[in-house]
Amino acid sequence: MVTSTGGQGPLEGAVIAVAGAAGPAGRATLMRLAEAGAVVVGSDSNPERLAEAVDAARYAHGGATVIGETVDLLDLDQTREWAARTEKEFGRIDGLVHLVGGWRGSSTFAETDLADWDLLHKLLIRTVQHTSLAFQDALERSGNGRYLLTSAAGASKPTGGNAAYAAAKAAAEAWTLAMADGFRKSGGEQGPRAAAAILVVKALVNDQMRAERPNAKFAGFTDVKELAEAIAGVWDRPAQEVNGQRLWLTPEP
């Protein structure tokens, strides 16, 4: 059983699951949550990269509890088992951060390949459906649970070549907002006991991308460390304040 030690911030002793933990955003988020004193349980489909991310977070914050599990988030039963196993082991789940990503696009709308939609439907929508359904009850039991989706500004203003990606992101946002409405209704007059919210970026950038393209400006991009900071900050705000909100890390289109 993990309990909060109190007085050291809302993430001290919190148990946070991170889906898509092995990518650059996932690595930064593991680091930031571990730094804040959370127990962090990351999942990814790539066990080698996941192990590297977990080891890096442990090394950076000695004594932090950071573990990794290879979970197929396209399998609802596996995802439910991951949630149940985590809650049983640590006694609670205070957050699910959804960082599973992927991009496919084309030069023009007419050149859109519907195979891109098939892939993005799995990566960007189905994984959201499975994690939200698997973790909802535990997040409400937490008393301060958060379901956080990272999305893109293009979902609100799609371009011709980004039809599949923008539509998938928009669907994932709608699903997350429906989850937020469920939290609102179950909370009744006292307000929601958990929150589902969306962090919106134009695109993400990390140190490796800058090193590979030293002359690129990455205008309007959000650094993965900045995203991780924003994710951690959501627990500083009351559930009622952030539930059902799009939290913009880039100017609204």
Side-chain angles (χ1 to χ4, degrees):
M1 173 73 72
V2 173
T3 57
S4 175
T5 56
Q8 299 181 37
L11 286 173
E12 181 69 38
V15 180
I16 313 294
V18 179
R27 290 174 70 104
T29 300
L30 294 187
M31 289 274 196
R32 182 64 185 89
L33 295 175
E35 180 187 18
V39 172
V40 192
V41 185
S43 79
D44 202 273
S45 59
N46 187 314
E48 291 81 13
R49 290 176 60 206
L50 178 61
E52 291 174 2
V54 167
D55 287 347
R58 286 176 180 164
Y59 180 78
H61 304 289
T65 300
V66 185
I67 64 174
E69 294 195 37
T70 305
V71 181
D72 181 4
L73 297 178
L74 295 177
D75 185 319
L76 179 57
D77 289 337
Q78 270 198 45
T79 311
R80 289 190 189 277
E81 288 166 8
W82 178 40
R85 189 165 58 248
T86 300
E87 188 174 24
K88 181 179 180 180
E89 181 172 355
F90 297 108
R92 58 189 298 127
I93 300 175
D94 302 292
L96 185 290
V97 181
H98 189 279
L99 297 171
V100 180
W103 181 84
R104 292 290 187 280
S106 57
S107 298
T108 66
F109 178 78
E111 294 175 288
T112 297
D113 184 349
L114 289 179
D116 292 344
W117 168 259
D118 294 338
L119 175 66
L120 294 172
H121 175 268
K122 293 177 181 178
L123 290 176
L124 305 184
I125 303 174
R126 188 64 77 191
T127 58
V128 170
Q129 292 172 328
H130 287 175
T131 52
S132 59
L133 291 170
F135 282 84
Q136 177 192 0
D137 289 345
L139 294 176
E140 287 207 277
R141 285 191 289 269
S142 154
N144 195 33
R146 302 286 185 273
Y147 183 95
L148 301 180
L149 173 73
T150 300
S151 189
S156 302
K157 193 174 182 180
T159 58
N162 249 0
Y165 178 78
K169 280 294 190 183
E173 287 194 10
W175 187 275
T176 302
L177 295 175
M179 184 185 192
D181 189 59
F183 285 149
R184 179 187 63 81
K185 289 176 177 174
S186 66
E189 294 182 359
Q190 295 181 336
R193 298 185 297 275
I198 302 160
L199 293 100
V200 186
V201 302
K202 175 183 177 181
L204 294 173
V205 64
N206 58 70
D207 291 342
Q208 181 180 345
M209 291 169 62
R210 292 191 181 95
E212 292 172 349
R213 300 172 59 194
N215 296 323
K217 297 186 182 300
F218 298 107
F221 284 37
T222 299
D223 191 279
V224 292
K225 297 185 185 73
E226 182 184 346
L227 172 64
E229 191 67 34
I231 286 169
V234 174
W235 277 268
D236 291 331
R237 301 165 63 180
Q240 192 160 1
E241 183 179 313
V242 296
N243 187 48
Q245 298 299 310
R246 290 183 174 90
L247 309 174
W248 289 82
L249 304 184
T250 188
E252 295 187 39

